[in-house]
Amino acid sequence: MNEAQLYSAIDQAVPYKFYGKVLRVVGLMIESQGPHANIGDVCHIHVMKGKAPILSEVVGFNNEKIILMPYSEVNEIGPGCLVESTGKSLTVKAGSDLIGSVVDPLGYPLDQTPLPKGLTSISTDQTPPNPMLRPPISEPIQVGVKVIDSLLTVGKGQRIGIFAGSGVGKSTLLGMIARNSKADINVIALIGERGREVREFIEKDLGPEGLKRSIVVVATSDQPALMRIKGAYTATAISEYFRDLGYQVNLMMDSVTRVAMAQREIGLAVGEPPTTKGYTPSVFSILPKLLERTGTNASGTITAFYTVLVDGDDMNEPIADTVRGILDGHFVMDRKIAERGQYPAINVLKSVSRVMNQVTTKEHQRNANLLRTFISSYEDNVELINIGAYKPGTNKDIDRAISLYPKIQAFLKQDVEEVISLEETIHSMDSLLNGG
């Protein structure tokens, strides 16, 4: 640092601290008189001596008063507690030494071990890349799931929504993608999960092989709404850090619906009016900002998989509808398919990958369309076929669909532990249709 920079730093330094004081706590909301702070700034609320300050964030204003929300429980906060502003938004640590770790939304390891040395501080609040500086998606990425690689091929930097009701196999599918994908690193955000499910996912679905190249960010359902939202922002920021270093990153978020629910809690607490199905306007403004941060940039790619919980398997509920309009494709997991023992239970006729034609060969596209046609022909006539009302020879496409359907079903099934490459999948599909 030269002399001019040193003088500039001294001029900009603030030699004293600004404090405010807590006036009241109502539900999730803490109201304080001062200090001077902006929306998104992190504040320390000083409680009784010997206790660590409680981290909170400025989420709104009421006349001259500041509205804060804590990152932890508010049990120890009382009237008159001092509020100190840090003057900056939340930062977390990121780096290659974090790979293999399970961290909380503030970036601290959940096993209570110290953070590795040499990590870089990054802000969790970033702006999406300039659309004119985003390279187009031109290469496929191996997901390692046959039904996806063959009929719903994903490109490097694509953003996909996985839409499903509860108990249809979302977590198992994410685990398969994390283990089998050709990405350099996985960043997995478990938002609003039950505490029991976290360890089950890490040990059973992800497994030691998957964890070795993953960073898992966990915000369980018992944590305050702000922590659940920060889990999504922290995972996205860590993904961006590795993308800027030139890595091919997989970001998996389970689930974006619970992020929206957490934002609804915050919106209602600060006085926003409930609109569509009780969701506040801020929910529909933060979703595009969060989801647009992933994708390609000049350095690397983030291929993102966001799970969306659909109440009663209703694909048109507000969050599902909004997310589907933002992303580059959607995979619909069907309860009926799961009930007949076909896993992964993806309904290929209701699913679409919007960049598949940009990342696949003409032959691959032709085979995929032909396979879809046979599935559709069979599904449209399944009742006639089952009761024996369809007469063989009436329609040659339906005849071929009936003869191929058992092989198609066997092709679309995949054991959880089965690993199959993109090339093998394409060859298997070609052999199925052309008898090679």
Side-chain angles (χ1 to χ4, degrees):
M1 185 181 284
N2 59 36
E3 190 175 342
Q5 289 173 320
L6 195 60
Y7 279 121
S8 175
I10 292 169
D11 284 340
Q12 290 172 19
V14 181
Y16 45 86
K17 293 181 179 179
F18 293 98
Y19 288 97
K21 65 177 182 179
V22 171
L23 297 179
R24 65 176 187 149
V25 176
V26 180
L28 305 171
M29 181 187 73
I30 301 164
E31 199 173 274
S32 79
Q33 186 74 52
H36 176 73
N38 300 318
I39 294 282
D41 283 357
V42 173
C43 293
H44 295 287
I45 301 176
H46 296 273
V47 290
M48 62 183 72
K49 284 184 179 179
K51 297 277 187 179
I54 292 173
L55 280 179
S56 59
E57 185 175 303
V58 179
V59 294
F61 300 96
N62 180 15
N63 296 324
E64 298 297 316
K65 300 180 183 68
I66 289 174
I67 299 171
L68 301 148
M69 282 205 159
Y71 291 131
S72 57
E73 297 300 325
V74 295
N75 299 339
E76 294 164 349
I77 296 174
C81 284
L82 290 179
V83 180
E84 178 192 348
S85 174
T86 63
K88 57 185 180 181
S89 59
L90 181 68
T91 59
V92 295
K93 299 279 190 179
S96 57
D97 287 341
L98 208 58
I99 298 170
S101 301
V102 181
V103 300
D104 68 11
L106 304 180
Y108 297 109
L110 277 183
D111 59 7
Q112 299 181 334
T113 56
L115 275 169
K117 303 288 185 186
L119 300 179
T120 305
S121 286
I122 55 171
S123 172
T124 59
D125 258 334
Q126 306 277 359
T127 54
N130 184 327
M132 292 303 291
L133 301 180
R134 281 186 187 265
I137 297 168
S138 57
E139 290 180 65
I141 185 167
Q142 176 185 305
V143 173
V145 179
K146 281 192 291 185
V147 64
I148 296 173
D149 283 341
S150 59
L151 300 173
L152 301 160
T153 312
V154 174
K156 289 179 181 176
Q158 188 174 353
R159 300 159 307 143
I160 291 288
I162 300 173
F163 294 76
S166 55
V168 188
K170 297 184 305 299
S171 298
T172 305
L173 179 61
L174 289 182
M176 287 175 72
I177 294 170
R179 291 193 311 274
N180 301 347
S181 169
K182 281 289 188 184
D184 300 320
I185 179 174
N186 302 306
V187 180
I188 303 168
L190 302 177
I191 310 299
E193 288 285 339
R194 304 174 189 90
R196 172 187 62 80
E197 292 179 333
V198 170
R199 193 160 175 182
E200 274 186 19
F201 174 82
I202 292 166
E203 293 181 0
K204 183 182 165 190
D205 296 324
L206 187 58
E209 284 302 309
L211 185 60
K212 269 201 293 193
R213 57 193 190 99
S214 301
I215 298 169
V216 184
V217 181
V218 176
T220 50
S221 58
D222 59 294
Q223 292 184 294
L226 197 59
M227 279 291 262
R228 281 175 268 145
I229 287 179
K230 288 301 167 186
Y233 278 77
T234 296
T236 306
I238 292 171
S239 302
E240 290 167 325
Y241 169 82
F242 285 104
R243 175 180 66 185
D244 292 343
L245 293 177
Y247 286 86
Q248 312 296 326
V249 184
N250 270 355
L251 171 64
M252 284 167 267
M253 191 177 294
D254 185 14
S255 72
V256 74
T257 307
R258 294 196 181 110
V259 175
M261 288 176 173
Q263 181 61 37
R264 176 173 63 184
E265 283 182 46
I266 291 173
L268 292 172
V270 298
E272 282 190 76
T275 53
T276 315
K277 285 209 173 177
Y279 288 101
T280 56
S282 61
V283 173
F284 302 102
S285 69
I286 70 147
L287 282 176
K289 290 176 187 173
L290 177 64
L291 304 182
E292 284 289 347
R293 285 169 60 178
T294 55
T296 60
N297 76 356
S299 306
T301 64
I302 301 173
T303 308
F305 299 88
Y306 299 98
T307 69
V308 182
L309 291 167
V310 285
D311 293 333
D313 298 323
D314 175 16
M315 286 294 296
N316 296 314
E317 62 97 27
I319 299 304
D321 207 33
T322 302
V323 171
R324 192 166 57 244
I326 297 167
L327 300 179
D328 310 316
H330 53 273
F331 302 161
V332 178
M333 301 192 75
D334 195 320
R335 196 174 298 278
K336 287 181 180 176
I337 295 175
E339 285 167 355
R340 66 181 183 226
Q342 181 183 319
Y343 289 99
I346 295 174
N347 187 326
V348 295
L349 300 179
K350 291 182 180 177
S351 305
V352 68
S353 169
R354 291 180 184 166
V355 304
M356 182 174 172
N357 289 348
Q358 296 164 223
V359 299
T360 52
T361 63
K362 293 294 181 187
E363 185 184 3
H364 182 166
Q365 292 165 33
R366 188 166 54 249
N367 285 340
N369 288 335
L370 196 56
L371 201 59
R372 278 176 174 267
T373 302
F374 289 139
I375 295 169
S376 178
S377 296
Y378 188 91
E379 298 285 349
D380 289 346
N381 296 279
V382 67
E383 290 182 7
L384 294 175
I385 295 164
N386 286 342
I387 63 172
Y390 176 75
K391 185 180 177 182
T394 308
N395 184 307
K396 65 178 182 180
D397 290 335
I398 297 173
D399 288 343
R400 188 153 186 231
I402 292 169
S403 67
L404 283 178
Y405 196 71
K407 291 180 181 177
I408 293 171
Q409 291 296 95
F411 172 74
L412 296 179
K413 282 184 184 179
Q414 185 171 344
D415 187 71
V416 173
E417 301 300 326
E418 186 182 355
V419 181
I420 183 163
S421 71
L422 177 63
E423 293 75 18
E424 289 172 324
T425 297
I426 293 169
H427 178 71
S428 297
M429 180 170 64
D430 189 56
S431 299
L432 169 66
L433 292 170
N434 303 311

